[in-house]
DNA sequence: TGAATAGTGTCTTTCAGACAATATGCC
DNA sequence: GGCATATTGTCTGAAAGACACTATTCA
């Protein structure tokens, strides 16, 4: 069974041993133009020079994982106050050709119009991509995005996290579109509204949204901004 | 918004910067005597000398996260071929009083009688504890167990992972007990069996289990050992 | 025959899914 | 009036939940 039993259970301090580097990677998602979209950055140096990547960076020695994710999120978007959740730790020893790096991935969901991507020359170029059209990425980042897609699909079906992708006030059609885009299937309008009503998550406002030459739509908000899990 | 924009998106090699240590921690769970149980180890040195902890150890530089988890699992149980899944990365900078250590937690589910805990003196004392009766643990390990409990509860309800906790052949009463112990609620026998039948996951064997002075019970196996997700 | 656990079916309620017509505002 | 989107209810089938009695073995 076991060849050389070494007592690692004690977490002994081993100053001589080589440590992996730890990075935090943040997948920034939104929905826009009937597409589930993600922010990618263009690399300016080797390895994978000129290829696209998910934004991330080395963790600082006194910074929590979530703080690191918030820092990276803020560098890219200027905001911090959005849905952010740890996704998974990716640790294949060969995932970075330079050295051993473990990536702890987070994902954020935000309303598309809440941010403008920095184009200030300090950061490398960053851009929204429809998730279905992301090119070949640096490192294992295509894998990470695939993993995140599944998480978002399931999370949106059993929680109220869809609100993270919408502005404060929204119409039922906008909300339905979020579900349709992420789940990649069209939903029946009457059944969708019946379900939303039964979940009792929304407050209908007195305002209406007037847009185009057609009947204005009722505006709604979520009753709570907390993450609510149902089912 | 942002004070000093530093370009961390490029993952630059920063040989001078201090790295956190990375450990992998493995929560080994089973069900026995109507209790959800976990393997804990007694610490033999500071910090937290003589307190109990979840087994774990520093990751090796060329070892994947899962390989590290398998190594630790094998050190404790002698086996590798069980359900094992990454749980979460715990990274509070203060979670270890000695130095910055990030713990990547895995959890394993196995049949109680499949292993004997090593008592060979090479490893520190390790012992099964009912999850409801774990004492105050070293580091943030009580938190980690709480997190894992929730994961196991949800995972057992929408996958066939319960089989990981049972021997190859089992009775429906044994299977129901697994659910009852983990979900901490009693289930209706007829509804439980109806549901299991409709999921079509089980094969009934020709054998019966004779135990005690009462009617023998039909034995079953799972049709597939793959993890199946339903709902 | 008594003790202990195995095994089984019906009724009710709830939820998901299919499906189409009217309402409102703007041009 | 025509166009574009908003809004609304019924029927059906499937699944969940409540509920109690008979079957089998052994001491």
């Amino acid at each position: 069974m076991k060849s050389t039993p070494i007592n690692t259970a004690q977490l002994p301090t081993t100053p001589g041993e080589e440590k992996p580097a730890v990075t935090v990677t943040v997948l920034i998602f939104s929905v826009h133009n009937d597409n589930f979209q993600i922010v990618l950055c263009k690399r300016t140096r080797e390895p994978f020079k000129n290829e696209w990547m998910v934004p991330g960076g080395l963790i600082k020695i006194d910074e929590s994982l979530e703080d690191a994710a918030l820092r990276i999120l803020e560098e890219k978007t200027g905001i911090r106050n959005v849905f952010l959740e740890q996704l998974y730790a990716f640790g294949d020893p060969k995932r970075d050709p330079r050295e051993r790096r473990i990536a702890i991935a987070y994902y954020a969901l935000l309303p598309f119009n809440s941010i403008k991507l920095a184009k200030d020359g300090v950061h490398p170029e960053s851009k929204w991509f429809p998730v279905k059209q992301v090119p070949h990425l640096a490192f294992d980042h295509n894998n990470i995005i695939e993993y995140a897609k599944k998480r978002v699909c399931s999370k949106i079906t059993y929680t109220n996290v869809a609100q993270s992708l919408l502005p404060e006030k929204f119409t039922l059609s906008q909300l339905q579109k979020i579900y349709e885009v992420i789940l990649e299937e069209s939903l029946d309008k009457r059944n969708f509204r019946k379900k939303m009503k039964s979940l009792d998550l929304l407050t209908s406002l007195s305002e209406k949204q007037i847009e185009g030459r057609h009947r204005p739509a009722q505006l709604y908000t979520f009753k709570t901004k907390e993450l609510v899990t149902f089912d």
Side-chain angles (χ1 to χ4, degrees), chain A residues 4-206:
Chain A
T4 325
I6 294 165
N7 181 351
T8 53
Q10 293 291 300
L11 296 174
T13 308
T14 50
E17 278 200 18
E18 207 182 341
K19 291 176 178 175
V22 178
T23 67
V24 170
T25 287
V26 185
L27 294 86
I28 302 165
F29 286 115
S30 193
V31 170
H32 184 60
N33 280 153
D34 295 2
N35 276 120
F36 189 39
Q37 307 216 22
I38 185 168
V39 174
L40 299 176
C41 302
K42 196 162 195 172
R43 290 183 61 76
T44 58
R45 44 176 126 165
E46 295 296 347
F48 302 108
K49 187 170 176 179
N50 294 323
E51 291 197 61
W52 293 88
M53 68 182 295
V54 176
L58 289 165
I59 193 162
K60 297 186 190 303
I61 196 66
D62 58 353
E63 179 185 53
S64 74
L65 299 175
E66 178 159 325
D67 284 345
L70 286 166
R71 171 171 57 80
I72 290 156
L73 175 68
E74 187 170 349
E75 284 170 7
K76 291 295 146 198
T77 66
I79 59 175
R80 297 171 68 94
N81 189 26
V82 297
F83 176 84
L84 180 73
E85 185 178 82
Q86 189 181 304
L87 179 65
Y88 197 76
F90 296 85
D92 181 342
K94 300 249 179 295
R95 59 178 294 284
D96 189 310
R98 292 165 294 186
E99 60 169 349
R100 179 74 195 277
R101 285 194 169 183
I102 293 166
I104 299 179
Y106 278 72
Y107 70 104
L109 303 177
L110 45 82
F112 190 82
N113 289 317
S114 64
I115 63 160
K116 265 191 198 144
L117 295 179
K119 294 266 180 189
D120 56 7
V122 174
H123 295 89
E125 183 183 358
S126 61
K127 216 176 94 177
W128 287 103
F129 283 78
V131 169
K132 283 197 258 186
Q133 292 160 38
V134 296
H136 178 269
L137 301 180
F139 309 107
D140 54 356
H141 289 186
N142 289 287
N143 281 344
I144 297 178
I145 293 177
E146 284 307 305
Y147 193 96
K149 272 174 63 178
K150 288 176 198 151
R151 173 79 65 91
V152 175
C153 276
S154 61
K155 202 92 186 175
I156 204 180
T157 61
Y158 68 87
T159 73
N160 63 349
V161 82
Q163 69 175 292
S164 312
L165 294 160
L166 286 169
E168 183 73 18
K169 303 172 185 180
F170 54 87
T171 68
L172 289 178
S173 296
Q174 289 171 324
L175 180 60
Q176 183 176 338
K177 179 60 79 179
I178 297 287
Y179 280 86
E180 290 180 328
V181 164
I182 290 179
L183 300 178
E184 294 186 54
E185 64 182 359
S186 59
L187 302 172
D188 179 85
K189 197 196 286 196
R190 281 167 295 187
N191 292 338
F192 179 80
R193 286 164 186 238
K194 196 200 321 177
K195 178 69 176 168
M196 277 298 145
K197 193 162 290 182
S198 81
L199 288 174
D200 194 33
L201 296 168
L202 305 180
T203 310
S204 73
L205 302 173
S206 49

